[in-house]
Amino acid sequence: MTAPVVQSEKAYTALKKKKKWPNYALFFILPAFILYTLFVIVPTLGSVYYSFTSWDGISSDVRFIGLANFVEIWNSPRVRNALQNTLILTISLVILENILAILLALLVDKVRWFSKIFRSVFYFPTLLSGIVMGFVWAMMLNYNFGVINQLLTKIGFGAITVDWLGDPRYALISILFSTVWKGAGYYMIIYLAGLQGIPQELNEAASIDGASGWKQFRHITFPLLAGSVTVCMVLSMISALKIFDQIAVMTDGGPGFETETLTYLIYKVGFGELRQGFGTALAMVLFFIILIITVFQVKILQKREVEM
C-alpha cells in the first residue's frame, strides 16, 4: 500500500513545482495593475477624501468639514426628491423592461419568417446612445411640432395633447417609456438565448397532455428562464439607478426638480453649482445604495432560482 501513496506524493510534488508562479509573470501584470491603480483605485480613494471636504472642484482650497456633507444629504428635501424619482424610475424600469423583453423574445422565438429582421428591428434602439435617443424622443414629444401630438391631432384627439416634457405630471413618465423603448431590445437577446436553450420536447409533451400556452409558459418556460431573469433584472436595476443621458437631454431635471435623479443631482451640484465635495459625498451614498440593492436582489433571485 505504500507504493501508490509514495507515487501520489511524488506526482503532487511534481505538479506543484510545475504550477509554480514564474517571477517574470509579474512584468505582464504590472502595466495593467499600474493603469488600474491610477485610474480606479486612486480616484476612488480621492473621492472618499473629497466627500469630507467643501472643495468646489476648481480652487486649491480644500477645507475638511467632516460629516457636514452627509448631514446635509440626510436633511435635504432636494436629495429626498431625487431619491424618490430614482426609486420610481428603477422599480418601473426593471418591471417594464423585463416584461417587454420577455414578450419580444417569445414573439421572435415563435416567428419562422423574417425572424432575423424582427430581431434587428427590436434590438436597433439599443445601439443608439442615450444622447441620440434623448434628442429623438425630445423632438417626438415636443408640444408644438412633436410627432406624438401631431398624430393625436390628426386622428381627432387634439383635445388630449399635452406638454409631455414640460408638464410635471407627464415628464417622468415620458422618460420612463422612452428608456423602456431603448433598453428592452438588449434584454430580449438574453431572454432569447435562454429560450433557445429550453428543450422543445418539454413543451411538446405538455401540449400533448393538454396544457395551454399560458400553463406551458408558467410551469416550464419561465422557471427554466430563471438564470436569464436574474441577469436581466440585476443589469436593468443597475442601469436604472445610474440613468443620466436621457434626463440631461430631454428635461435637464425639470420642470423644476420633477425628473431630477440622484445621478443627475450629482452632476448638477458638482459641476453646475461647483460643490464638488457635496457631489462626491452624494456619489458615495449612491454607490452604497447600488451595492446594497444589488446584493439583496441577487440573493433573492438566486434563492428563487433554486426554488424553481
Side-chain angles (χ1 to χ4, degrees), residues 10-61:
K10 289 181 178 179
Y12 174 74
T13 304
L15 182 63
K16 188 176 181 180
K17 289 181 179 179
K18 186 178 179 181
K19 289 190 174 182
K20 186 177 180 181
W21 189 270
N23 293 330
Y24 62 81
L26 295 174
F27 291 100
F28 293 97
I29 299 174
L30 193 60
F33 177 75
I34 292 174
L35 290 174
Y36 185 80
T37 301
L38 290 176
F39 293 102
V40 177
I41 296 178
V42 172
T44 300
L45 295 177
S47 297
V48 175
Y49 169 72
Y50 286 122
S51 66
F52 297 100
T53 69
S54 61
W55 187 43
D56 61 5
I58 299 177
S59 68
S60 58
D61 181 21

Side-chain angles (χ1 to χ4, degrees), residues 55-57 69 72 269-280:
W55 187 43
D56 61 5
N69 286 328
E72 183 180 352
V269 298
F271 297 97
E273 301 173 12
L274 297 181
R275 301 181 62 199
Q276 197 68 239
F278 181 78
T280 306

Side-chain angles (χ1 to χ4, degrees), residues 80-154:
R80 286 196 294 270
N81 173 72
L83 177 61
Q84 176 181 314
N85 291 337
T86 301
L87 293 178
I88 291 173
L89 276 176
T90 299
I91 295 172
S92 302
L93 282 172
V94 169
I95 294 173
L96 293 177
E97 281 184 335
N98 282 275
I99 290 176
L100 181 58
I102 291 176
L103 293 176
L104 293 176
L106 289 170
L107 175 63
V108 172
D109 189 52
K110 297 297 182 183
V111 170
R112 292 293 175 261
W113 296 92
F114 307 110
S115 61
K116 292 183 179 180
I117 295 177
F118 283 109
R119 293 182 194 182
S120 301
V121 170
F122 294 145
Y123 185 74
F124 175 74
T126 306
L127 302 177
L128 300 175
S129 69
I131 298 294
V132 173
M133 185 276 287
F135 274 119
V136 170
W137 277 93
M139 289 188 291
M140 291 175 61
L141 296 171
N142 185 277
Y143 178 71
N144 296 312
F145 57 82
V147 174
I148 304 298
N149 282 346
Q150 292 285 340
L151 182 61
L152 289 174
T153 302
K154 291 290 184 182

Side-chain angles (χ1 to χ4, degrees), residues 94 98 186-187 190-191 225-239 294 297-298 301-302 305:
V94 169
N98 282 275
Y186 176 80
Y187 305 112
I190 299 176
Y191 284 122
L225 281 177
S228 300
V229 171
T230 300
V231 171
C232 289
M233 291 194 72
V234 171
L235 290 177
S236 62
M237 186 275 299
I238 294 175
S239 177
T294 301
Q297 185 183 37
V298 169
L301 291 174
Q302 286 181 341
E305 285 183 34

